[in-house]
Amino acid sequence: MDNQDWAREVSEKIKKKMHKVAGRNQNRIPYLTVNGCYEDMTEKDIYWWTNGFWGGIMWQMYHATGEKIYYTEAIRTEDKLEENLRAYRGMDHDSGFKWLLTAAANYRLTGSEKSRDRALIAANSLAGRFNLAGSFIRAWNDDGDGSRAGWAIIDCMMNLPLLYWAYENIHDPRFLQIARAHADMAAKTFVREDGSVNHIVAFDPATGEVLETLGGQGYGKGSSWTRGQAWALYGFVLSYIHTGKEEYLNTAKKVAHYFMANIPESGLIPVDFRQPADCIWEDGTAAAVAACGLLEIEKYVTENEKPMYRRAAMKLLRALDRDACWDDEKDYIIEKCTAAFHDEKHDFPMMYADYYFIEAIWKLCGQESFMW
């Protein structure tokens, strides 16, 4: 079966399954599953960084099908997340993941002024995390002791589009300047010569001096956490899309070439490209995110270059499909993900892997609502 026919077939399987999944999970914010059923993060942790992805899935499904259940659930998710805007501990560098996929998406699709206001408040909070010394957006909060005041992480490349969105909406250049300054820093400080990336860079928050790099959620210092690679791959091409700065596209390609060179024959992506050879833990999330990024890079390269990015994306997506759960009595699609290499638990479903898988399939079928 050729790639387009395959993608259309998968899109129909997604639509069939998600109709049931959405019906079972009304008024919930899913993340992990227990016995195949989503947990609800509404009471468990309304501030959790992944809480926007369910809204993102709902908007993608609504855009593709027009079915009202998806619209209703997207609005409910966004309304619940408003509590984040009223609590400092709910606001960190992950504001992009939360608010691009909910409020900003809502505004794009419906013109809701309330949603526009929410996304702009989140963008202002994200901009306020910028540290002039070092030109980085601070990642996480701490207990008030300043222990993580100098920490920046590669994941933030995917949150910068919230700042680009704010700039494009209210034409305040500080949003653009902060996003570009962080992207410039990340290209220089996070991306290594071979195209692999650091997960965490610790700066002296007072001087901007780089103190050390940390392994973070990967195998260890100097290793290659695959989801971090994917965040960089997709994040830099998004910065290129919003700014037209050629260096960002070149950086995205550099990271992509490293990623593509390390894709196993199976197409199934390990947690870390430098994990021990006998370790078989996977992260389907890294594969899905990377596939989305590769499909975006394909749009902006020469005709001669396009096929290699498309081939790599299809290899990742077809491998995910082969291992996917299409039983519509279970809530998840992507089965094998890992939050962090040194966590106790591995190879389990994480809902945001489903978001990126759906986004990638929608790109292939021309059904995507572009969220970033």
Side-chain angles (χ1 to χ4, degrees):
M1 185 185 301
D2 71 24
N3 286 333
Q4 283 307 115
D5 287 343
W6 169 83
R8 283 191 287 269
E9 182 180 278
V10 173
S11 77
E12 292 306 311
K13 289 195 291 187
I14 290 170
K15 289 171 186 174
K16 177 177 179 290
K17 176 162 184 167
M18 287 309 302
H19 186 80
K20 278 199 168 186
V21 173
R24 279 197 301 270
N25 288 279
Q26 293 180 67
N27 207 31
R28 292 185 173 194
I29 299 180
Y31 173 43
L32 303 179
T33 60
V34 177
N35 298 323
C37 300
Y38 280 136
E39 293 182 295
D40 182 13
M41 298 298 285
T42 305
E43 298 298 330
K44 187 174 181 179
D45 188 355
I46 194 60
Y47 307 120
W48 188 239
W49 74 274
T50 67
N51 285 351
F53 285 101
W54 179 247
I57 290 176
M58 295 298 99
W59 282 123
Q60 293 288 9
M61 296 304 303
Y62 177 69
H63 184 259
T65 69
E67 293 182 27
K68 189 172 181 180
I69 185 172
Y70 300 125
Y71 172 87
T72 301
E73 290 309 304
I75 298 294
R76 280 178 176 168
T77 298
E78 181 185 332
D79 287 345
K80 287 181 178 185
L81 290 183
E82 186 168 1
E83 184 178 332
N84 278 241
L85 298 177
R86 298 194 296 269
Y88 169 72
R89 69 190 181 96
M91 302 301 291
D92 54 25
H93 83 105
D94 284 319
S95 287
F97 286 128
K98 293 175 186 174
W99 296 101
L100 281 166
L101 303 177
T102 54
N106 189 352
Y107 177 64
R108 281 194 183 103
L109 291 169
T110 74
S112 167
E113 287 297 324
K114 179 189 284 188
S115 296
R116 181 176 183 267
D117 284 348
R118 286 167 171 165
L120 287 171
I121 290 168
N124 269 279
S125 173
L126 182 59
R129 302 184 71 81
F130 184 70
N131 187 318
L132 216 59
S135 294
F136 66 91
I137 293 173
R138 175 180 174 170
W140 299 299
N141 302 325
D142 51 41
D143 293 327
D145 59 3
S147 59
R148 295 197 287 193
W151 283 22
I153 64 175
I154 195 61
D155 317 38
C156 194
M157 288 303 302
M158 289 296 297
N159 290 302
L160 297 186
L162 180 62
L163 301 180
Y164 296 129
W165 175 89
Y167 168 67
E168 290 155 10
N169 271 270
I170 62 174
H171 308 292
D172 184 337
R174 68 194 170 99
F175 293 111
L176 177 63
Q177 291 161 1
I178 288 169
R180 287 183 58 153
H182 182 93
D184 291 345
M185 175 282 301
K188 178 182 176 182
T189 310
F190 280 84
V191 181
R192 306 177 187 128
E193 277 303 308
D194 65 355
S196 65
V197 301
N198 295 303
H199 181 202
I200 300 172
V201 174
F203 295 85
D204 182 321
T207 68
E209 176 190 359
V210 174
L211 301 177
E212 61 177 329
T213 61
L214 304 170
Q217 289 166 250
Y219 175 62
K221 186 173 181 178
S223 68
S224 178
W225 178 50
T226 55
R227 193 157 75 249
Q229 301 294 143
W231 293 142
L233 189 164
Y234 198 1
F236 276 106
V237 72
L238 290 172
S239 279
Y240 170 74
I241 291 168
H242 287 285
T243 68
K245 187 172 180 179
E246 201 73 25
E247 290 89 337
Y248 298 152
L249 179 59
N250 291 337
T251 302
K253 289 166 66 176
K254 181 178 181 177
V255 176
H257 291 176
Y258 172 86
F259 196 103
M260 292 188 294
N262 284 279
I263 297 174
E265 186 60 36
S266 67
L268 301 171
I269 298 301
V271 181
D272 195 302
F273 282 133
R274 296 172 182 168
Q275 68 192 35
D278 61 351
C279 179
I280 59 172
W281 295 332
E282 297 174 20
D283 187 13
T285 318
V289 174
C292 287
L294 291 165
L295 291 172
E296 288 300 320
I297 292 173
E298 180 196 15
K299 298 175 184 177
Y300 301 100
V301 297
T302 66
E303 290 301 317
N304 288 338
E305 292 177 285
K306 289 180 185 295
M308 70 172 157
Y309 296 106
R310 174 61 65 107
R311 280 196 302 270
M314 296 311 302
K315 183 171 185 175
L316 297 172
L317 293 170
R318 282 182 174 257
L320 289 173
D321 174 42
R322 285 196 304 271
D323 274 15
C325 174
W326 294 113
D327 178 353
D328 58 20
E329 296 307 315
K330 294 183 178 178
D331 286 339
Y332 58 85
I333 298 173
I334 305 303
E335 294 203 84
K336 293 184 178 180
C337 307
T338 295
F341 186 89
H342 293 288
D343 280 357
E344 193 172 316
K345 190 176 179 183
H346 302 86
D347 291 346
F348 57 92
M350 294 195 297
M351 184 271 305
Y352 62 106
D354 291 358
Y355 170 81
Y356 285 104
F357 182 70
I358 291 169
E359 183 185 286
I361 298 299
W362 268 212
K363 286 181 193 292
L364 293 169
C365 296
Q367 297 176 320
E368 179 195 18
S369 176
F370 189 71
M371 300 284 190
W372 309 100

